[in-house]
Amino acid sequence: MFRVVQTREAFAYPVGKVWGPYEEHLDASARVGLLREFGGDGVIESGEFGAPCGMSLVDAGGGGGGLLVAA
């Protein structure tokens, strides 16, 4: 399973919004592509959906869209 963690605000959704689960990496990649079309971005994580994937988003400041750190 894959999910996309949004790293830049887009579609009026905030940083940290989780999209998924997606069964295939291809589907998750398509979501990231769609986010980018609307000025956003996202990071694909893999693992059991609903369980921590080992990374978390923190506010990096400066409008950089967040910083991924080890959970």
Side-chain angles (χ1 to χ4, degrees):
M1 291 287 211
F2 300 90
R3 65 183 181 183
V4 174
V5 179
Q6 196 162 320
T7 57
R8 280 203 186 158
E9 187 175 329
F11 307 126
Y13 292 105
V15 170
K17 164 76 177 167
V18 175
W19 298 92
Y22 302 101
E23 291 189 7
E24 296 186 15
H25 193 277
L26 188 63
D27 296 332
S29 297
R31 168 57 66 181
V32 171
L34 191 59
L35 282 170
R36 288 180 180 156
E37 285 181 28
F38 286 85
D41 209 346
V43 172
I44 299 172
E45 294 183 339
S46 62
E48 194 68 33
F49 193 78
C53 288
M55 302 292 279
S56 61
L57 280 166
V58 297
D59 183 6
L67 177 68
L68 280 168
V69 297

